[in-house]
Amino acid sequence: MTTAESHIKPSTGSVQGPEVAVWWAERRRYIEQIRKVPDVRQRFWREAGLYMLRRILWSFGFFPVFIAFWVPFVMSSFNPVVMASDLIPVLQGFVDSNPEVQATNLSTLAIAWVSIGFFFLVFDFVLTPFRSPYEYEADVYMRSWEQLNHDPLPDKV
């Protein structure tokens, strides 16, 4: 048996090139077919929007607020009285300062907020990638397709 024939003949326990190509061709064909279904397309856009909203709220809402309160709380040895007594003079100094210094402090705070948010947004996109409804539907279809077509391919493909 030549190497070309061994590549075509299915062996037990391993997936050969033609079988994988047929599987991927069928998956691509099915995804192209379901992309035309309005219900699945609407579900895709809804889930994509919810995914983005969830990631943005989590990254720009939770993490900066958590860090803004957690770091001073840790620095005050988890004692809220010490934290408040340390922050009161800082806040009083902010209120007593001129408008230019207040604007500089607020812009620095906004830059810190946005930079922490973007850092966690990128981190969040890497850890929790978007799972498309098209991919889910294709996975379900391909499981049933595999069960229907579990017979080995003929020797001549």
Side-chain angles (χ1 to χ4, degrees), residues 14-31:
S14 67
V15 178
Q16 300 297 319
E19 293 171 340
V20 173
V22 169
W23 190 90
W24 279 107
E26 179 63 22
R27 183 179 174 90
R28 275 192 300 275
R29 185 201 64 76
Y30 183 72
I31 288 176

Side-chain angles (χ1 to χ4, degrees), residues 126-142:
V126 170
L127 286 181
T128 55
F130 177 64
R131 179 97 169 121
S132 170
Y134 296 125
E135 297 295 323
Y136 174 77
E137 294 289 334
D139 289 344
V140 171
Y141 173 77
M142 291 312 292

Side-chain angles (χ1 to χ4, degrees), residues 19 22-23 26 29 141-154:
E19 293 171 340
V22 169
W23 190 90
E26 179 63 22
R29 185 201 64 76
Y141 173 77
M142 291 312 292
R143 275 190 229 110
S144 65
W145 183 85
E146 286 171 353
Q147 288 177 351
L148 291 173
N149 299 308
H150 73 282
D151 299 332
L153 291 174

